[in-house]
Amino acid sequence: MTTAPAPRQVATRRSPPNRRPQVICHDNLSNSHIVSELQQLHEDFTPTPWLFNEHAQLIFHSLRKGGRRSQRGTLLYDHSEQLVMRDGGLTALYWCGHDLSPDTPTIVVLHTISGSPESMAELVRDLSQFTGWRVVLCLRRGHADLPLLTPRMSLFGCTDDLREQLAVIRVRLPESSLYAVGSSAGSGLLVRYLGEEGDAAPFCASFAYCPGYDTDTSFDHVHPRYSRIMAKKLVRQFITPNLERIAHMPTAQRLNAADDLAMLHRALYELAGHDDYAAYDRASNPMHVFANIRKPLMVLNAEDDPVCRIGNLEPWLDGMRQMPNIILVTTAEGSHCAHYEGWLARSWSAKLMSEYFQVMRGLSI
């Protein structure tokens, strides 16, 4: 029932890696056709030579996300709008190719744990250039310059907010076929939404990039240095500026004092609108509903990812092999949401996403 062996264990890999992507999926005609059409899956992925390991790839990715902010913000997105949610919370849509013809396909992008229009600009630009399609970034509460109007937010976002954002997109573009990319934490939101919606999900196909799988345990396995750095960044970005607004919550000081991602995640339940952590986990953990996904989904993980560890995949691997609509791709290298190739450090992963969507569009026409 599988087209390839399970991913290799990164911890024991020190010899030159096998650079051919590993593909794991149910053995059916549709998957065989999709995989055969994606040339990247039949060639080596060779990372950018001067990004010599997973840490170099990740640091370069972080620096590239932070650079040229004003240029990216003014030149890439041609339309943006803020949306007031039913409870008064504020989200936003950032468009690239807003005025393309109404029947042009649209790629919905769900961003990373601290994502912003600037930090997601590289992925949005690459998807737009590789496909020629419209791309819309769904910005979550509290991100970028959005004020936290209500004391409610989550690191992974909320599927109810996503439904409201998609309703706006659907009303605006009823003739446009929809595709979706979730990057890192955004993949958790995407998978949770796909599992909740089942056959009703509006996406023709989706792509989960560097997911962490079970959010109850995945933060425990993040490289300690990155866990501390990211937690401090998130506290500065979301918690400290809103302390007065959330001061009535017993968990407010725990959130403000969190010094790693696991601690922050486990203290977030009240801010996310739940009475305890168990309720928060039941309502947000993507793996509780993963088996309910019915629409096509490709998943990409790198075995050397120091943030979303490849070991997080292991408990779910057998189940994924049995799901006819899931294609899992792993690479020996690529780090976390990086996958840069060539001397100019271009995104191998964005090209794969784009080619996958184009193949899936060909199947639906």
Side-chain angles (χ1 to χ4, degrees):
M1 301 293 286
T2 175
T3 62
R8 301 166 293 274
Q9 291 299 313
V10 176
T12 60
R13 179 176 54 77
R14 285 295 178 263
S15 59
N18 175 9
R19 285 177 164 160
R20 184 69 56 87
Q22 302 293 298
V23 180
I24 298 171
C25 60
H26 186 276
D27 185 12
N28 58 56
L29 290 176
S30 177
N31 286 341
S32 296
H33 172 74
I34 294 166
V35 172
S36 70
E37 290 292 306
L38 295 172
Q39 188 62 33
Q40 284 177 263
L41 300 183
H42 305 280
E43 301 172 346
D44 287 356
F45 163 59
T46 304
T48 295
W50 47 271
L51 298 176
F52 47 84
N53 63 21
E54 64 269 30
H55 304 296
Q57 284 250 348
L58 182 54
I59 291 169
F60 177 77
H61 178 56
S62 299
L63 292 174
R64 178 173 277 189
K65 286 193 304 181
R68 295 175 293 174
R69 288 181 179 273
S70 60
Q71 179 181 355
R72 286 177 172 175
T74 57
L75 297 182
L76 179 66
Y77 301 102
D78 48 28
H79 181 73
S80 65
E81 56 194 301
Q82 295 185 351
L83 307 177
V84 179
M85 303 290 96
R86 292 189 183 93
D87 70 345
L90 197 64
T91 68
L93 301 177
Y94 277 75
W95 300 81
C96 175
H98 178 266
D99 294 329
L100 289 172
S101 63
D103 60 350
T104 301
T106 299
I107 302 173
V108 175
V109 173
L110 308 181
H111 58 73
T112 57
I113 201 166
S114 61
S116 67
E118 291 81 14
S119 71
M120 299 304 297
E122 181 182 28
L123 177 58
V124 170
R125 179 206 65 201
D126 286 347
L127 291 172
S128 173
Q129 290 181 351
F130 286 140
T131 63
W133 297 354
R134 180 187 297 106
V135 183
V136 56
L137 174 69
C138 292
L139 198 66
R140 302 195 290 270
R141 301 182 186 216
H143 287 259
D145 297 323
L146 292 181
L148 199 62
L149 298 184
T150 60
R152 176 72 62 85
M153 70 161 292
S154 169
L155 296 179
F156 295 96
C158 168
T159 53
D160 286 339
D161 284 355
L162 179 57
R163 288 185 183 92
E164 292 192 54
Q165 291 174 319
L166 291 175
V168 171
I169 295 169
R170 263 280 154 254
V171 168
R172 189 87 43 84
L173 298 165
E175 300 174 51
S176 177
S177 54
L178 298 185
Y179 299 79
V181 172
S183 182
S184 191
S187 69
L189 177 60
L190 173 62
V191 168
R192 180 75 198 196
Y193 174 80
L194 292 173
E196 288 180 356
E197 291 293 309
D199 288 320
F203 303 124
C204 299
S206 300
F207 197 107
Y209 187 30
C210 293
Y213 298 91
D214 186 349
T215 53
D216 182 44
T217 60
S218 59
F219 286 123
D220 296 319
H221 303 139
V222 178
H223 188 290
R225 180 175 297 175
Y226 294 129
S227 182
R228 291 192 296 270
I229 291 172
M230 293 169 67
K232 290 178 181 179
K233 177 181 180 180
L234 294 169
V235 168
R236 288 196 306 268
Q237 184 173 351
F238 300 119
I239 307 303
T240 304
N242 295 294
L243 269 180
E244 289 188 9
R245 186 173 293 277
I246 67 173
H248 63 285
M249 297 181 178
T251 52
Q253 291 306 318
R254 286 172 55 196
L255 287 169
N256 201 46
D259 59 7
D260 65 40
L261 286 174
M263 186 182 301
L264 181 64
H265 175 63
R266 292 193 172 101
L268 196 73
Y269 63 86
E270 200 172 12
L271 184 56
H274 301 281
D275 294 332
D276 54 40
Y277 173 75
Y280 170 49
D281 180 68
R282 287 193 300 271
S284 61
N285 193 327
M287 302 317 292
H288 291 328
V289 296
F290 184 81
N292 299 331
I293 295 176
R294 298 293 179 265
K295 295 299 183 70
L297 173 68
M298 178 169 282
V299 182
L300 173 62
N301 283 103
E303 295 177 10
D304 66 349
D305 189 333
V307 177
C308 292
R309 299 281 196 174
I310 193 66
N312 297 340
L313 163 64
E314 202 63 36
W316 314 101
L317 195 53
D318 287 342
M320 292 174 72
R321 285 190 179 107
Q322 305 305 316
M323 296 174 68
N325 53 323
I326 307 293
I327 298 176
L328 169 67
V329 179
T330 66
T331 56
E333 299 166 290
S335 192
H336 185 66
C337 297
H339 278 98
Y340 290 114
E341 67 174 351
W343 283 99
L344 297 180
R346 294 303 305 271
S347 175
W348 181 90
S349 53
K351 186 164 64 172
L352 179 62
M353 296 172 197
S354 301
E355 291 183 356
Y356 171 63
F357 289 156
Q358 289 168 324
V359 168
M360 297 307 294
R361 177 164 171 75
L363 290 176
S364 65
I365 293 177

